[in-house]
Amino acid sequence: MNPTGAPATMPDLSCYTTNLLAHLAPDVPGVRRRFAEGVRLAVRLDLPPGELAFSHHPRLDRTGDGRELAYRGAAGWPAARAALHDTLHRERRVLAAGNTRHLPWAAAHGRADAPHWLLIHEHRAGRWRVADHFTALTPYGDQEPFHGWLDDAGLAAALAPVPDPPPEVVRRDRFALGQETPLPPAGQYRWLTWQAAPPDADAHADGAAAPGPGTWSLGLETSLAAIAGVLRTDATALARYADDLWAAARHHAYALAFAVADGRLHPESAAAVSAAWGELPRTLRFAAQSAARGRPRPGVVDRAVEHLLSARQALGADLTPERTIMERTPRDTGGPEDGEHR
């Protein structure tokens, strides 16, 4: 059974969103609908040249009794282990940040460092019951869901901090909940716990609100134009942002499938847009590999973006109206203006 209660035929999501929805489902009724109806591709427009920040949905974790998720961290494993045990006892499950290099079931095991969310459900006799609902064909091969037990050493390795994450990864983590969220210092073990939401939380939960300080595009056309502009002018951007566009493609395919299931979109029209979304990250990876071989192909990225916009425009009036540009000042969130925590 899908942990969010979605139909079995619904498209798969990114590792963050897959396990976030599984974590939230018992506490946030209708979270799959809240996610599907809130999917977006918000992009910050005023970062230094070549830099982008993304928000893929509004906050999903605000509960009816006034709680929200927040990151916690610990510098060493003994402190992290004690805190995880306490959180598990208090909250019944823990959403934790792992590292793909050290996850035995991950396709990137032993090959690449990347943050990866997973769930801890139980601790018994020195062993931890862990679940990872994520499934995908990754650049390193197939990854299937995992449900099993790890001993203390295994969990310590699985949750090992990603060393020296680049700025785009830091921003990815900071906006993983949809809105800018403070991170523990780099190099710490990380997990998420429930805390009291601020009194004005409802105002920021709206998908029409900017995800953080600065100037943001909330409309798909303006966001894709901003992304395409960066991809044309920064040779490193194709590789750095391919994962963000891959996540966006999965999220939008899910939202389209949900609308079809609701009877709000014709299946064939939605399938055309979903296919165009799927082609975008594949094109980015191809273009990145070609550029690495000294043969840049900026035209193929532009054509993929144009194809996606054309397919989406064909849906016409069935689409939800979008906000285009929103601006917030640093005082709106209390977070650092550049969206990073170094």
Side-chain angles (χ1 to χ4, degrees):
M1 175 181 292
N2 186 302
T4 66
T9 55
M10 294 294 284
D12 295 312
L13 297 167
S14 68
C15 80
Y16 283 16
T17 310
T18 297
N19 289 309
L20 175 63
L21 292 182
H23 183 64
L24 293 178
D27 291 282
V28 183
V31 68
R32 68 185 180 92
R33 178 174 293 278
R34 186 187 296 192
F35 167 72
E37 294 179 350
V39 166
R40 64 188 179 188
L41 182 59
V43 176
R44 186 167 176 182
L45 303 176
D46 57 347
L47 291 173
E51 300 302 316
L52 293 169
F54 300 87
S55 169
H56 297 281
H57 52 77
R59 292 208 61 154
L60 308 170
D61 56 309
R62 300 263 165 74
T63 65
D65 58 359
R67 293 174 295 143
E68 66 178 17
L69 290 174
Y71 283 103
R72 297 289 183 266
W77 174 243
R81 181 190 184 282
L84 288 168
H85 185 273
D86 290 345
T87 305
L88 184 58
H89 178 74
R90 183 176 64 252
E91 300 181 1
R92 304 185 307 281
R93 64 194 177 281
V94 184
L95 184 62
N99 181 340
T100 56
R101 182 181 293 276
H102 304 296
L103 302 180
W105 63 89
H109 178 239
R111 303 168 71 184
D113 294 288
H116 187 95
W117 284 2
L118 54 88
L119 290 163
I120 304 171
H121 284 284
E122 187 178 357
H123 178 254
R124 186 196 309 166
R127 303 173 73 219
W128 306 79
R129 184 164 62 88
V130 172
D132 178 7
H133 300 280
F134 176 67
T135 181
L137 174 59
T138 78
Y140 300 98
D142 285 311
Q143 180 155 335
E144 297 296 331
F146 173 81
H147 300 264
W149 293 83
L150 299 175
D151 60 18
D152 273 356
L155 186 64
L159 303 187
V162 172
D164 301 319
E168 62 271 13
V169 172
V170 175
R171 288 193 291 267
R172 202 172 291 152
D173 286 345
R174 185 173 287 280
F175 289 95
L177 293 174
Q179 179 185 341
E180 187 177 33
T181 307
L183 295 175
Q188 289 198 355
Y189 291 89
R190 292 179 184 175
W191 62 96
L192 293 101
T193 65
W194 292 105
Q195 68 174 18
D200 62 345
D202 288 345
H204 297 311
D206 188 346
T215 302
W216 287 79
S217 162
L218 302 182
L220 182 60
E221 186 169 353
T222 53
S223 291
L224 286 174
I227 293 166
V230 169
L231 298 181
R232 283 190 219 103
T233 57
D234 187 324
T236 70
L238 286 164
R240 290 191 294 126
Y241 300 124
D243 284 347
D244 299 283
L245 274 297
W246 178 83
R250 284 199 148 201
H251 296 159
H252 281 78
Y254 185 98
L256 289 162
F258 204 100
V260 169
D262 271 356
R264 291 183 285 117
L265 286 180
H266 191 279
E268 290 185 6
S269 300
V273 182
S274 185
W277 268 113
E279 188 61 29
L280 182 60
R282 286 193 291 271
T283 300
L284 259 62
R285 294 192 192 282
F286 166 76
Q289 292 166 358
S290 183
R293 295 192 296 267
R295 300 180 62 187
R297 298 175 181 270
V300 300
V301 176
D302 287 338
R303 287 192 292 274
V305 170
E306 291 168 3
H307 177 58
L308 170 58
L309 289 174
S310 295
R312 189 175 179 280
Q313 287 166 1
L315 294 180
D318 292 332
L319 295 172
T320 303
E322 294 180 322
R323 297 289 295 273
T324 303
I325 303 293
M326 286 290 293
E327 189 167 355
R328 283 171 60 186
T329 63
R331 75 179 62 181
D332 290 327
T333 64
E337 185 169 357
D338 67 354
E340 297 181 22
H341 188 114
R342 295 184 180 273

